[in-house]
Amino acid sequence: MKKSLKFAKRASAAFLILAAVVFLSVIFINAYVKSSTEDLIISVSESLNVNPDCIIVLGAGVRADGSPSPMLQDRLITGIKLYEDGVSDRMIMSGDHTKKGYDEVNIMKKYAIDKGIPSEHIFMDHAGISTYDSIYRAKEIFQADKIIIVTQKYHLYRALHIAERLGVEAYGISADVRTYAGQDLRELREKAARVKDFIKAVMKPDSKIGGEAIPVSGNGDVTND
């Protein structure tokens, strides 16, 4: 009985220590990712001096009727403004088009075309199934060495950290146009995602889906399906 009690106390102490280490690691990694990329989040006016290879708009949810969610719409509006301001004449719409019946990227491209952007200037990354994959593929598939990333600010820190670790010169433009429902939960999930991608960016695995190079300097219509 005494041995069992002693073991239980030790196990409890070990669990508490482990929990404390995990908790502190999450806090440290989140603080580091944010502080190390804060200066890479720039204004639209500052982006005019960057001369990137392309503007990459990160995907988000789409509605059943084929329209972008409010968060995705704001990313598109922001990315389109950058294009119209002459920041770059190439865009990558990176999102999930790997499941039957779900397609972010064609909806994103159509939205931009409807706003007057030429189809050949818009590339679709059909396999942008995660933030890591989107940034990895921007470099390896689309051959972009310098990019402007467009997404909401809470998400930019992680995307910029991944880019930095993968050797991509990247700057972020915040697409926060309004208040989004469920943002508190989204922020909580992002803390865990930063830890996951911090580790992933150290390991530098290939993207889940590969493919032949499609230089972003070419014609975006080659990515049409």
Side-chain angles (χ1 to χ4, degrees):
M1 180 68 75
K2 288 183 178 180
K3 287 184 178 180
S4 297
L5 185 60
K6 184 179 289 188
F7 175 79
K9 287 182 177 179
R10 287 179 176 175
S12 179
F15 175 79
L16 290 174
I17 291 171
L18 179 61
V21 169
V22 170
F23 178 73
L24 291 173
S25 296
V26 170
I27 292 176
F28 172 79
I29 290 173
N30 271 269
Y32 173 76
V33 168
K34 293 181 73 172
S35 64
S36 65
T37 57
E38 185 72 50
D39 290 344
L40 298 174
I41 300 174
I42 60 177
S43 66
V44 173
S45 60
E46 289 172 320
S47 71
L48 295 171
N49 300 316
V50 172
N51 192 30
D53 297 321
C54 64
I55 300 157
I56 179 167
V57 180
L58 298 181
V62 295
R63 293 167 166 167
D65 64 0
S67 63
S69 63
M71 183 170 279
L72 179 56
Q73 183 181 38
D74 291 347
R75 296 179 190 183
L76 291 165
I77 290 169
T78 303
I80 290 166
K81 176 172 173 49
L82 294 175
Y83 178 95
E84 292 174 341
D85 286 351
V87 173
S88 175
D89 65 352
R90 292 293 187 275
M91 299 184 74
I92 297 177
M93 303 302 187
S94 184
D96 190 356
H97 186 200
T98 60
K99 309 180 196 72
K100 186 176 181 180
Y102 185 77
D103 180 359
E104 293 177 356
V105 291
N106 273 288
I107 289 171
M108 294 165 74
K109 179 164 184 172
K110 182 180 183 303
Y111 188 96
I113 290 173
D114 289 346
K115 299 299 181 181
I117 297 183
S119 176
E120 61 268 25
H121 290 180
I122 307 168
F123 291 73
M124 290 187 289
D125 178 10
H126 300 271
I129 55 180
S130 72
T131 306
Y132 180 89
D133 286 74
S134 292
I135 304 303
Y136 183 98
R137 289 173 58 81
K139 178 184 180 183
E140 299 298 332
I141 301 297
F142 296 99
Q143 308 285 286
D145 295 315
K146 184 190 288 190
I147 61 177
I148 293 281
I149 303 171
V150 177
T151 185
Q152 278 70 29
K153 188 174 183 180
Y154 83 98
H155 187 205
L156 273 175
Y157 301 112
R158 177 160 57 104
L160 289 166
H161 175 75
I162 292 168
E164 186 174 43
R165 294 294 300 180
L166 293 180
V168 180
E169 184 178 351
Y171 301 88
I173 297 288
S174 171
D176 290 292
V177 176
R178 65 187 105 179
T179 301
Y180 306 100
Q183 188 60 26
D184 288 343
L185 179 59
R186 204 174 285 113
E187 295 271 4
L188 184 62
R189 290 203 319 250
E190 183 65 14
K191 286 180 169 58
R194 287 187 194 124
V195 174
K196 172 182 67 70
D197 279 347
F198 177 87
I199 297 169
K200 197 169 186 177
V202 171
M203 304 298 291
K204 296 184 177 65
D206 294 343
S207 59
K208 290 182 180 179
I209 299 174
E212 296 181 1
I214 308 171
V216 76
S217 58
N219 189 324
D221 283 341
V222 300
T223 63
N224 292 351
D225 61 355

